[in-house]
Structure formats: structure tokens, C-alpha cells
Amino acid sequence: MQRKIIIALLLSATTPSRGPAATTPGPTQGYQQEVPQYEPPFSAPVITVIVFAVMAGIIGIILLSYYLLVNIKRRASVKPSQPSRI
């Protein structure tokens, strides 16, 4: 019974018509204000080169650090040989 009542209520509900929406005049209506566009100081190719240079620098620092750590470990693990006695 409740199901029939709910279906009847849903079917009888009216949807608002899609006419022109009423608008109230706001403080910005009546004149067009043009927003200035941001102009980047560099062109797209220059920005691309800068990004790749920064990436290469970071990767170079990481690889150099790895190389130095491996060499330090290698030198620490090698025991100095004792001079041979004749």
C-alpha cells in the first residue's frame, strides 16, 4: 500500500518549467570589466629547457652522491696491506 502511495506522489509531483530565469541586478551587471591576462616572462620552449635542466641537475646530484658513497664504502672495506718483510 505504501509503495502505491509513494509512486502516486512521485508521479503527481510537477517539475518547474524551464523558462527564462529571473535575475536580480548585481553590482557587476551593467558594465563589462576586462580582466588583464597574465603574460609569462618566458616562452614555452624556454620553460621546457629550464624544467629539463633542473631535472638533469637533480638526477646528477643523486647519481654523484651514489657514486661517492660506493667509493667510500669500497675504501673502508679494503684493509691496508702490510709491507712484506724481506
Side-chain angles (χ1 to χ4, degrees):
M1 183 70 182
Q2 289 178 348
R3 182 185 238 180
K4 290 183 181 181
I5 294 173
I6 291 174
I7 292 174
L9 287 174
L10 288 174
L11 290 175
S12 68
T14 59
T15 59
S17 64
R18 295 220 167 211
T23 59
T24 57
T28 58
Q29 280 188 343
Y31 64 91
Q32 291 280 339
Q33 183 179 8
E34 195 169 313
V35 179
Q37 295 294 320
Y38 173 72
E39 291 292 329
F42 303 114
S43 64
V46 173
I47 293 173
T48 305
V49 169
I50 291 171
V51 168
F52 279 123
V54 169
M55 285 174 34
I58 291 171
I59 292 171
I61 290 171
I62 292 170
L63 292 176
L64 180 65
S65 301
Y66 174 75
Y67 174 75
L68 291 175
L69 287 174
V70 167
N71 279 342
I72 289 172
K73 280 185 176 182
R74 212 180 278 161
R75 287 184 185 168
S77 66
V78 174
K79 295 180 181 176
S81 63
Q82 296 189 4
S84 60
R85 295 184 182 179
I86 300 178

